[in-house]
Amino acid sequence: MELAEDMYKEELLEHYKKPQNYGKIRNCDAKYHDFNPVCGDEIEVYIKIRNGSVKDIKFTGKGCAISQAAASIATESVKGKKVEEVKGISNESMLQLLPIKVSNLRVKCALLALKAIQKAIIKYEGTKLQ
Amino acid sequence: MINTKSLRADFPILSRKVHGKRLVYLDNAATTQKPMQVIQAVKSYYESHNSNVHRAVHKLSDEATEAYDEAHEKTASFISAGSYEEIVFTKNATEAINVVANDFSRKLKKGDEIVLTQMEHHSNLVPWFNAAKMTGAKIKYAEIDGNGELKMQQLRKIITKKTRLVAVTHASNVLGTINPVKEIAEIAHDKGALAMVDAAQSVPNMPVDVKKIGCDFLAFSAHKMLGPTGLGVLYGREELLENTEPLVFGGDMIKEVTFENASWNDLPWKFEAGTPNVAGAAGFSAAMDYLIKLGMGNVRKHELQLAKHAMKRLSEIRGVEIYGPQAEKRTGVISFNMKDVHPHDVSSILDSEGIAVRGGHHCAMPLMRLLGIQGSVRASFYVYNTMEEIDALIDALNKVKKIMKV
Ligand SMILES: Cc1ncc(COP(=O)(O)O)c(C=O)c1O
């Protein structure tokens, strides 16, 4: 087991306390609200899409340090990327973006934001088809 | 008084290590650990008596049936029910509540009302939502005050001639609050309503006497009182159970079956369709024996002592907010939050110190919303917990503050 000190490194706490991309986008194209019923972590993502790429992204949410820091890191990482590429980001590569190694029990928290981003895009593509 | 030193030796799991630290198990409201006596009873059932019950005339079946029936009798005496006929074994407390809710969903009419409280566990909410949806009956809530206690005046007001049932938790699994269920049953009966008690958090922790409470139904789970998982209890007054429809149908619950029809078996068997949890019942008997030997009054005293100590020490930590009433009015359950740290992070760091608590909504999401929080950290005590373990919790909470820099 990692020590608790290793899980809550300075770098992670920095993202938790001063998250990047925190807020809403008024005229966003894609939006998704998700939560983790076990611990109550909550995330809503807002994405602006231009020419198949993530032009801007923001999130709001409440939850544990891991879920909120991961949201800050995930949104930062997908900005500017092609939506196709974002949809293909694997769980493993998301976990590797984090400055810490999360224990099995906390993987769900760490992936909440990525999942919400991916679901937002899929939902957006679905509405375009209809 | 309970001598934790000798008692702890009965619980094999308490000597294991977690992340290299000694296990401090403070998640007893979720489920308790099992003493050797219970584990041995389950083992010896499978080693020496295993068989199906109520079916064959061979020796093993006779022994298994006797063990199973005896567990019903012991349960009846444990909660002072009239007889084993009033004791139905289910899968857990949740299923026990569902048996009653299912019957109400056949009998309620539009305009009828069910009264619940704002501090119910999901298992005493959702089955009633279903009953209401199926019948058009209405659900009303008894409110809680700032101390996490029921507002009795408001409760008296909402129980009316329209009320058919009042279903209330005896002790809250979040706030620890012990509710005046005897008084509530009287109020319900005065208006011609029935009273159901969710005793999942009371039967394990204090003496409970269904006759004194005067309730009509009462539900609890064996696994929260040293017993095995997979066994719950529904107590119901005999004349009511006679008129309650079974929830599950099949073998063992019938008296006579033709190709067209079936008549129900006697109480309590008409509610126990299919092969039951016989090994669980054998373990549950051993669990009740264990608690009887300790004395439920002593269990209550022990928990109260722990709760008092924990509340005092917790309130010394800056930024800790405790929910619910003073120690005397609660079971050994304490929910709290630490300012600026999410309960999930608190419990994660405590886990790394070998301390098991629960962080989350505790299956009481409406109550969480009412308290204006997403979740809380919950420490809950049982017979084997010690003052030193509470001190270990406090030390670990101070470490949480350090790690999270709050
Ligand atoms: C107050 C209360 N009611 C009901 C239950 C449900 O018990 P079980 O999950 O054993 O059915 C619990 C268990 O968490 C509880 O605390």
Side-chain angles (χ1 to χ4, degrees):
Chain A
M1 158 76 187
E2 326 60 52
L3 286 168
E5 283 87 343
D6 296 336
M7 188 138 75
Y8 294 97
K9 274 190 194 152
E10 189 67 49
E11 236 183 306
L12 183 99
L13 291 180
E14 195 61 25
H15 272 286
Y16 172 50
K17 291 179 178 168
K18 294 189 201 105
Q20 304 292 309
N21 309 312
Y22 197 88
K24 299 185 180 181
I25 299 178
R26 230 185 273 151
N27 302 310
C28 63
D29 301 296
K31 184 162 112 170
Y32 200 87
H33 176 252
D34 209 354
F35 77 106
N36 177 348
V38 181
C39 43
D41 292 336
E42 207 175 334
I43 282 280
E44 183 148 20
V45 295
Y46 313 82
I47 310 176
K48 227 174 167 61
I49 296 171
R50 281 295 168 275
N51 305 322
S53 293
V54 175
K55 177 147 187 284
D56 195 12
I57 180 164
K58 287 201 186 303
F59 80 97
T60 56
K62 264 202 265 181
C64 68
I66 310 240
S67 72
Q68 302 304 304
S72 167
I73 292 165
T75 48
E76 199 57 11
S77 139
V78 302
K79 219 185 263 180
K81 287 209 170 93
K82 288 272 175 214
V83 294
E84 278 314 307
E85 193 186 338
V86 175
K87 277 198 303 185
I89 297 175
S90 69
N91 295 349
E92 292 70 40
S93 49
M94 175 68 222
L95 294 179
Q96 270 174 12
L97 283 178
L98 302 179
I100 55 158
K101 192 178 165 317
V102 285
S103 67
N104 286 338
L105 289 167
R106 309 299 299 275
V107 165
K108 266 216 167 101
C109 314
L111 295 178
L112 184 66
L114 174 69
K115 295 286 161 205
I117 293 169
Q118 291 174 332
K119 285 180 207 163
I121 293 173
I122 291 167
K123 204 173 119 201
Y124 161 76
E125 291 177 334
T127 52
K128 275 209 323 194
L129 287 176
Q130 276 161 2
Chain B
M1 272 283 88
I2 288 177
N3 177 351
T4 45
K5 198 154 183 206
S6 60
L7 181 147
R8 288 178 72 87
D10 290 336
F11 292 78
I13 209 169
L14 295 181
S15 55
R16 78 158 273 184
K17 297 239 151 109
V18 169
H19 308 308
K21 309 257 167 66
R22 198 177 62 117
L23 167 68
V24 175
Y25 187 78
L26 302 179
D27 194 16
N28 294 288
T31 198
T32 63
Q33 300 303 346
K34 321 302 174 200
M36 249 156 18
Q37 289 83 341
V38 169
I39 299 167
Q40 187 55 43
V42 174
K43 187 162 172 268
S44 117
Y45 169 75
Y46 280 127
E47 280 176 355
S48 316
H49 313 288
N50 178 54
S51 163
N52 214 316
V53 292
H54 299 151
R55 289 182 189 178
V57 290
H58 57 74
K59 179 68 179 154
L60 291 187
S61 177
D62 184 41
E63 287 174 6
T65 302
E66 192 177 312
Y68 190 63
D69 294 1
E70 195 192 296
H72 283 74
E73 273 168 20
K74 204 172 288 253
T75 309
S77 120
F78 196 81
I79 58 169
S80 307
S83 70
Y84 75 92
E85 279 109 333
E86 297 187 320
I87 301 297
V88 177
F89 281 0
T90 60
K91 183 167 68 165
N92 46 38
T94 303
E95 190 180 74
I97 295 168
N98 271 276
V99 171
V100 181
N102 172 65
D103 189 59
F104 272 82
S105 71
R106 292 158 176 262
K107 292 176 180 159
L108 288 171
K109 302 206 172 51
K110 208 170 156 86
D112 287 344
E113 291 177 0
I114 301 168
V115 170
L116 309 174
T117 82
Q118 287 179 329
M119 64 169 95
E120 297 308 313
H121 187 279
H122 293 163
S123 64
N124 198 31
L125 288 173
V126 187
W128 303 113
F129 293 172
N130 189 51
K133 203 152 100 192
M134 286 172 71
T135 56
K138 205 169 137 188
I139 293 175
K140 287 192 166 169
Y141 289 97
E143 294 171 3
I144 59 172
D145 64 18
N147 289 327
E149 295 175 62
L150 287 174
K151 293 183 186 162
M152 292 302 285
Q153 286 217 322
Q154 184 260 352
L155 178 136
R156 275 175 198 282
K157 248 188 224 143
I158 61 170
I159 298 176
T160 66
K161 287 269 183 280
K162 288 185 188 167
T163 311
R164 296 285 305 277
L165 177 86
V166 180
V168 51
T169 193
H170 195 174
S172 160
N173 68 310
V174 177
L175 304 165
T177 317
I178 300 169
N179 289 319
V181 283
K182 177 178 159 65
E183 191 182 341
I184 294 170
E186 274 166 15
I187 298 169
H189 291 157
D190 275 352
K191 301 286 180 186
L194 294 176
M196 162 140 212
V197 174
D198 174 356
Q201 297 292 345
S202 62
V203 170
N205 305 309
M206 61 178 89
V208 170
D209 180 324
V210 291
K211 288 275 142 57
K212 276 195 193 143
I213 295 171
C215 56
D216 303 292
F217 299 102
L218 179 136
F220 59 100
S221 280
H223 70 90
K224 291 185 198 281
M225 50 190 291
L226 309 179
T229 53
L231 195 90
V233 176
L234 171 66
Y235 156 82
R237 269 170 44 208
E238 191 175 348
E239 57 273 32
L240 292 171
L241 288 181
E242 281 295 355
N243 291 304
T244 300
E245 279 291 300
L247 174 64
V248 186
F249 302 88
D252 255 349
M253 53 83 65
I254 40 75
K255 194 159 255 177
E256 188 180 38
V257 184
T258 64
F259 277 116
E260 292 77 29
N261 234 323
S263 60
W264 306 150
N265 203 343
D266 296 331
L267 291 178
W269 319 122
K270 83 167 185 188
F271 295 103
E272 300 189 11
T275 302
N277 185 356
V278 190
F284 185 38
S285 278
M288 286 185 284
D289 285 340
Y290 196 96
L291 289 172
I292 290 164
K293 216 166 130 202
L294 288 178
M296 289 310 294
N298 289 329
V299 172
R300 169 75 188 130
K301 270 189 219 149
H302 180 71
E303 281 183 31
L304 182 57
Q305 215 174 31
L306 293 171
K308 273 188 188 161
H309 183 60
M311 286 181 75
K312 178 172 166 289
R313 298 271 350 245
L314 279 169
S315 59
E316 289 163 8
I317 304 179
R318 253 190 43 207
V320 164
E321 183 182 11
I322 302 175
Y323 307 101
Q326 69 196 72
E328 283 79 5
K329 293 187 174 179
R330 62 164 84 208
T331 56
V333 166
I334 302 180
S335 283
F336 60 92
N337 266 320
M338 193 171 248
K339 198 168 177 289
D340 294 329
V341 190
H342 193 273
H344 210 192
D345 294 317
V346 176
S347 41
S348 229
I349 297 173
L350 294 184
D351 174 60
S352 71
E353 294 292 306
I355 300 176
V357 296
R358 176 122 175 239
H361 57 59
H362 317 296
C363 295
M365 283 179 161
L367 175 60
M368 292 292 128
R369 204 152 298 154
L370 188 73
L371 295 171
I373 55 180
Q374 264 192 319
S376 70
V377 185
R378 180 184 72 188
S380 51
F381 314 125
Y382 209 41
V383 291
Y384 35 71
N385 289 125
T386 64
M387 299 290 196
E388 292 73 41
E389 288 181 308
I390 289 168
D391 294 336
L393 169 71
I394 300 299
D395 291 346
L397 287 171
N398 282 315
K399 185 161 177 192
V400 171
K401 291 183 81 168
K402 221 164 89 199
I403 289 176
M404 298 301 288
K405 306 196 167 58
V406 294

